[in-house]
Amino acid sequence: MGDKTKGPEYRTSLVIQTVTRMMIPFLLMFGLSVMAHGHLTPGGGFQGGVIIGASFILLGLAFNKDEGRRALPEGRIKGLASSGILIYIVVGMVGIVAGYNFLANRSINFPPGGALGELFSGGTLLWINMGVGITVSGVAIELFYAFLEERRDPAYYKHKKTVHEKRRWSDDGVSESTSD
Amino acid sequence: MKRFVPVVLFCIFGIVMIAAVLTLAPVGDPHQPSYAEFVHPEVPFEEIVKERETVALHYNRNGAYDTGALDIITAVIFDYRGYDTLFETTVLFTALISVLAIIGINKE
């Protein structure tokens, strides 16, 4: 055993790891498909984003959290979560630039859509769905890893350490009077 | 006197609020757009359609034309209620920021 302070090493079976490695590309494609066809089929940005987030959470569960962090670093997840809302607002601003309301859709005809039922028929709905999906996937991934790691202010650990040391001293009987 | 002024202001505010409540549409009136979800069984369907376009009927008929989306749910929440969804997404993002502010601090 290696470092005793980190506890036993987290390890899953080879079956889970192999199946996860096979599943993740399909999960990502399925999430993208749900996001892109939000205006044609049931689903949309929220559902597709959660599917994409679940694929990265699965990566962190099947291997370990460092593997998941390496696949998508923390700064990039925060950037994704922020840029989704930015996409939404920018797409809304296109309506103002074109001379209509904020978040105008049908009147600006952007992008010039096809017939009803085609991929680009929804106008701005496609890009809005994508933006929402990016934000939701980033939030889901980062919430999972934040709760998994649970870093805190180092002052918190220092406080905990001193309390622990005091208790051990009194257990040894060296200084029983320091109990607070 | 100092105690009297807030009481008067509160009474005026209460009267305004009660007056606003009294001007609300009667519950279940099918001609009001906001009560389109509920249609009284005694009111014939033709009369509702003839009198006024209610919200639900409008969405069902013109949703595909107004938004270009086949899925009526996406048409409502991303187009007709676009502001709502924008700030819904912002609430999600704010939740992430709050969690990171509490347990995600990495000061070394």
Side-chain angles (χ1 to χ4, degrees), chain A residues 38-39 88 105-106 121 151 154, chain B residues 66 68 70 74 79 82 103 107:
Chain A
H39 56 291
Y88 202 134
N105 179 20
R106 198 59 169 167
S121 67
R151 300 183 306 270
Chain B
D66 284 348
L70 279 183
T74 304
D79 193 292
I103 67 170
K107 277 186 271 179

Side-chain angles (χ1 to χ4, degrees), chain A residues 38-39 41 78 82 85 88 102-103 105-106 116-117 121-122 125 128-129 135-136 142-143 146 151-154, chain B residues 64-71 74 78-79 82-83 85-86 88-90 92-93 96 99-100 103-107:
Chain A
H39 56 291
T41 55
K78 285 178 185 167
S82 316
I85 298 176
Y88 202 134
F102 183 66
L103 283 173
N105 179 20
R106 198 59 169 167
L116 189 66
S121 67
L125 288 184
I128 288 176
N129 266 314
T135 297
V136 170
E142 184 55 36
L143 272 184
R151 300 183 306 270
R152 278 178 196 268
D153 202 338
Chain B
Y65 176 75
D66 284 348
T67 65
L70 279 183
D71 190 17
T74 304
F78 283 101
D79 193 292
Y83 281 99
T85 312
L86 171 60
E88 203 177 314
T89 317
T90 316
L92 256 177
F93 185 65
L96 172 66
V99 168
L100 289 182
I103 67 170
I105 302 168
N106 201 2
K107 277 186 271 179

Side-chain angles (χ1 to χ4, degrees), chain A residues 2-97:
Chain A
D3 201 354
K4 273 196 173 181
T5 58
K6 288 184 179 172
E9 197 179 342
Y10 181 74
R11 189 182 286 267
T12 52
S13 78
L14 188 66
V15 178
I16 293 175
Q17 293 188 4
T18 312
V19 170
T20 301
R21 211 174 276 142
M22 281 164 53
M23 284 293 291
I24 278 177
F26 294 104
L27 275 173
L28 289 174
M29 278 309 295
F30 182 58
L32 264 177
S33 158
V34 168
M35 269 160 64
H37 294 96
H39 56 291
L40 302 177
T41 55
F46 290 99
Q47 291 83 0
V50 168
I51 291 170
I52 289 181
S55 69
F56 282 96
I57 291 172
L58 180 66
L59 190 67
L61 283 175
F63 295 93
N64 49 36
K65 72 177 170 54
D66 298 329
E67 192 79 22
R69 277 298 196 198
R70 210 180 310 136
L72 203 57
E74 188 185 354
R76 211 168 289 175
I77 299 173
K78 285 178 185 167
L80 277 180
S82 316
S83 63
I85 298 176
L86 199 66
I87 289 172
Y88 202 134
I89 294 171
V90 166
V91 169
M93 293 298 257
V94 170
I96 294 181
V97 172

